[in-house]
Amino acid sequence: LADRESEEERVRQRGFKAVNPAGLTARELVLHLSLHGARTVERLSRELQLDTKVLDGYVGALVRKGVIALGRTNRGSTVVRLAKLSA
């Protein structure tokens, strides 16, 4: 738990560069999307109990790794979903 909190604090301060893509929070985010489907950033923040600034860091890092992708709702909210795997 202490490791997770320290990583989240680093992400809050330094953004996506501080994210460990194999870390607990990143894996939890990917698992959550695989189980529940696409979510808005706001909803993910509530469901994972992460500050939106911290979540933005994780999302940015995982988008750069090609693990997740972003979209928009009709109302302009950012939607996070798992990236399609090419076969």
Side-chain angles (χ1 to χ4, degrees):
L1 189 58
D3 289 343
R4 178 181 175 150
E5 289 174 357
S6 66
E7 181 180 351
E8 288 176 10
E9 186 56 34
R10 285 193 308 274
V11 172
R12 182 177 284 107
Q13 293 173 0
R14 295 181 38 223
F16 73 90
K17 295 175 186 170
V19 170
N20 174 3
L24 183 62
T25 303
R27 289 191 329 238
E28 181 181 8
L29 172 57
V30 172
L31 177 62
H32 192 81
L33 291 172
S34 71
L35 293 173
H36 302 290
R39 293 284 194 262
T40 63
V41 169
E42 295 83 5
R43 185 169 181 183
L44 264 178
S45 177
R46 284 192 310 270
E47 291 175 347
L48 296 175
Q49 298 181 346
L50 286 173
D51 180 77
T52 53
K53 185 173 180 180
V54 174
L55 182 60
D56 286 344
Y58 282 97
V59 168
L62 293 172
V63 165
R64 284 171 177 78
K65 298 275 294 173
V67 177
I68 61 175
L70 300 178
R72 290 270 179 206
T73 66
N74 292 337
R75 297 171 67 184
S77 294
T78 301
V79 174
V80 181
R81 63 173 171 76
L82 290 178
K84 291 181 173 69
L85 298 176
S86 55

